[in-house]
Amino acid sequence: LARGAASFGGYSVLVDWRCAVALLLLIGIHESGHVWAMRRMGMATRGFYFIPFFGGAAVPDSAFPSSYAEGYVALMGPIWGLFVSAATHAVFLTTNQQVFEVAACWMAFVNLLNLIPLYPLDGGRVLRSIVQSLRGFDTAADQTL
């Protein structure tokens, strides 16, 4: 709760409280996608935490069972984030209120940045799981998304 409040305060100072709400909503749903995928892969999880100015982290309680599982879990956050961005854009199209267009663009941009193939971003985790699969490795070393 304290990290979420710190994140909200920091984003509110940098941009606007409405944008802070939108970013926290995106981060929360994005990380929930990771947690959902972990549970679907049969993994224990501690949930997720907001990290002020860096987003959030879904934290497993057990190791990834395979490279496939790591890639799957890494992709679920951006996929859930895509739906949030699209829904926010749909609200803009319905209401024509500029704040929703700005929020949808920011959400899509943050989601896209997270897909850059650099570890520990989700794109880097997906790339790593692909490389591990191609090389015949089937376990993941770092367990934090």
Side-chain angles (χ1 to χ4, degrees), residues 60-80:
D61 245 354
S62 60
F64 289 101
S66 67
S67 296
Y68 170 81
E70 182 179 15
Y72 178 79
V73 169
L75 281 175
M76 280 303 112
I79 288 172
W80 283 36

Side-chain angles (χ1 to χ4, degrees), residues 11-97:
Y11 296 141
S12 294
V13 169
L14 286 178
V15 282
D16 176 64
W17 71 268
R18 295 171 297 184
C19 189
V21 168
L23 286 173
L24 288 177
L25 176 68
L26 171 69
I27 292 166
I29 291 174
H30 174 104
E31 297 303 330
S32 293
H34 292 309
V35 170
W36 175 84
M38 285 178 204
R39 290 181 179 150
R40 187 140 193 251
M41 291 284 112
M43 299 171 59
T45 177
R46 288 186 230 159
F48 72 87
Y49 303 96
F50 289 106
I51 303 171
F53 303 109
F54 289 102
V59 182
D61 245 354
S62 60
F64 289 101
S66 67
S67 296
Y68 170 81
E70 182 179 15
Y72 178 79
V73 169
L75 281 175
M76 280 303 112
I79 288 172
W80 283 36
L82 172 67
F83 288 120
V84 173
S85 301
T88 304
H89 184 69
V91 171
F92 161 69
L93 293 175
T94 304
T95 65
N96 205 27
Q97 292 185 21

